[in-house]
Amino acid sequence: MTATPDVTSVGIVGGSLAGLFHAVALTGLGLDVDVWERSTGRPDDRGAGIVLQPGVAWFLREFCGVDPDRVSVPVTHRQFFTGDGNVRIMPMRQRMISWGTIYQALRDVLPAERYHDGQPVTALVPSAAGATVHVGEAARAVDLAIIADGSASRHRGLVTPDGAPRYAGYVAYRGVVDEADLPKELVARFDDRFSFWDGDRSQFLCYFIPGDFGTTATGRRRMNWVWYTRADRPELARVTTDRNGTRHGLSLPPGLLAPQVRTDLLARARSTLPPPLCHLVEHTAEPFVQAILDARATRMRNHRILLTGDAAFVVRPHTAASTEKAAADAITLFQALRQAPSADTALQTWERLRLAEGTAIHDQGVGLGRRLGLDGPDAAAAADGRTGKEP
Ligand SMILES: Cc1cc2nc3c(=O)[nH]c(=O)nc-3n(C[C@H](O)[C@H](O)[C@H](O)COP(=O)(O)OP(=O)(O)OC[C@H]3O[C@@H](n4cnc5c(N)ncnc54)[C@H](O)[C@@H]3O)c2cc1C
C-alpha cells in the first residue's frame, strides 16, 4: 500500500494510544514514521478499563493481527442497581478491554527503533514542506507532523486557537482489583455483567477486564470500577494532593491517595453505595482519581500539522468513545492518504470528517454528564459558550 507521493516522512508527538494508532496505521501505508514519547518505559495503565468499540476491534484485527475476542472480556447483560436494593437486568452484548492490552498490541507491531521514549518534543515548527520536530538539540524535518500529546497538550496552539481543557466539576474515583482477590460471591454478582448505579449527582459502574498479558481466563481477570462524583475546586485540590502533600492537580495515580481521602471515600461508599459495589471499593488497595475535563478544538489541521486524540477533543468518559475516537482519527487518515490525489486534499478531507465527529462526541458527553447531574458551574458555562475558568 502506498500513500500520496508528497508525504513520505511522519513525526508523531506523544506515544500513547492516539500516537500509536497513527504510527501503526501510517507505517502500514509504507510511510517512514517516528514517535517521540516524553515518558520512559511503559506508561501507567491510566485508563484501566475500556469498552471495546468496533473501530478499535477492527484496528486490532487489521493492523495488529490480534483477534479482539481473545483479548477482551464479554458481557451479555447490563445490570442496574436500584435504590431499593433490587437489580434490573437488560440484555446488551459488549466486550471490555484494558488500556494496557491495546497499548501492548500496538507496541508489538511498531518497529522498536521507531519509538523514541524518554524524548520529549521541545518544539514543533511549521515549514513550507511540513514541520520540524525538535527534541532538545536534535531536529528532524518531516512531511507531516501529528500532535498526540494528550489533554494537557503543549503544542495544540499551533493548530487551534481554542481547545484548552476545562474542569467539568466532577471527578472519577477509579479502582482495579485482581479477580483472585475478590470473594467468589462478589465475582458471581458481576460476572458477565456491565453494572451501573445512579445516585444523587453520582454514578458508579464496573466490569471485568483482561488481566496481565491480555488474559481473559476466569480467575485471572481484573475488576474495573469507576465512581463519578461532584467535587468543587477545593475538593478537587484536596483529593489530588498525595499522601506526601504534593499537589497533582487533575489526577492522582494509584498508590498515592492520602489516608484521609481514602477514609472519606470508604465512609461515603458505606453510606451511599449498594453493598456489592461498596465491597469493591473496600477491596481496592490503591484507588486513583481523574478529574473529568472537556476540550473541543475548532481546527485539527494547520497545513501539514494535525491535532489528534485527546489533544484535539477530550470527551467525557460516559461516551466510552475516547479510544475509539483516537483509532478513528488514525483510520480516517490512513484512508484519506491512500485515496486522495495529494496530501493537501487528503488532510482537508480528514479535518472535515474528524472535526464533525469529535464535536458530536464531545457534545454528547457533555449532555450525558448534565443528565446525570454531575456538571459543575464552570462546565455549564463552558458548554453554553460563556467564559469558564481553566483548571
Ligand atoms: C476518567 C477517564 C476514564 C476514561 N475511560 C475511558 C474509557 O472507558 N474508554 C475510552 O475509550 N477511553 C477512556 N478514557 C480516555 C482514553 O484513555 C484516551 O482518550 C485515549 O487513551 C487517547 O489518549 P491520547 O493518546 O490522545 O492521550 P494520552 O493518553 O494522554 O497520551 C498523551 C501522550 O503524550 C505524551 N506527551 C505529552 N507531551 C509530550 C511531549 N512534549 N513530547 C512527547 N510526548 C509527550 C504523554 O507522555 C502521553 O504518553 C478515559 C479517560 C479518563 C480521564
Side-chain angles (χ1 to χ4, degrees), residues 3-4 6-7 9-10 22 26 29 31 128-131 142-146 159 299-308 329-330 332-355:
T4 54
D6 46 347
V7 172
S9 57
V10 182
H22 285 82
L26 299 185
L29 268 186
L31 300 181
V142 291
D143 301 328
L144 178 65
I146 295 177
V159 173
R299 294 193 54 190
M300 291 177 73
R301 171 191 176 222
N302 174 2
H303 186 45
R304 293 288 185 88
I305 300 180
L306 307 183
L307 190 64
T308 64
D329 285 348
T332 307
L333 185 59
F334 170 90
Q335 289 167 340
L337 283 172
R338 196 174 51 168
Q339 289 160 7
S342 73
D344 286 342
T345 314
L347 301 183
Q348 264 169 26
T349 305
W350 178 85
E351 184 188 33
R352 181 173 46 78
L353 295 173
R354 299 315 301 153
L355 260 185

Side-chain angles (χ1 to χ4, degrees), residues 14 16-18 36-38 49 120-121 148-150 174 290 309-310 322-323:
S16 179
L17 298 190
W36 286 275
E37 165 55 42
R38 177 180 59 183
V121 171
D149 57 353
R174 305 196 70 170
Q290 284 167 307
D310 284 11
S322 318
T323 304

Side-chain angles (χ1 to χ4, degrees), residues 204 258 285:
F204 190 103

Side-chain angles (χ1 to χ4, degrees), residues 12-21 36-39 43 46-51 53 56 99 102 115-116 119-123 147-155 171-172 174 207 224 226 228 289-293 308-326:
I12 300 182
V13 185
S16 179
L17 298 190
L20 284 168
F21 281 130
W36 286 275
E37 165 55 42
R38 177 180 59 183
S39 57
R46 284 155 292 186
I50 287 185
V51 178
Q53 304 286 9
V56 174
W99 187 94
I102 301 173
Y115 191 89
H116 313 289
Q119 298 195 29
V121 171
T122 43
I147 301 174
D149 57 353
S151 60
S153 174
R154 290 189 174 214
H155 302 282
V171 297
R174 305 196 70 170
Y207 49 84
N224 168 80
V226 185
Y228 300 108
V289 189
Q290 284 167 307
I292 304 304
L293 305 174
T308 64
D310 284 11
F313 291 91
V314 182
V315 300
R316 305 258 181 118
H318 319 297
T319 60
S322 318
T323 304
E324 177 79 351
K325 177 172 71 61

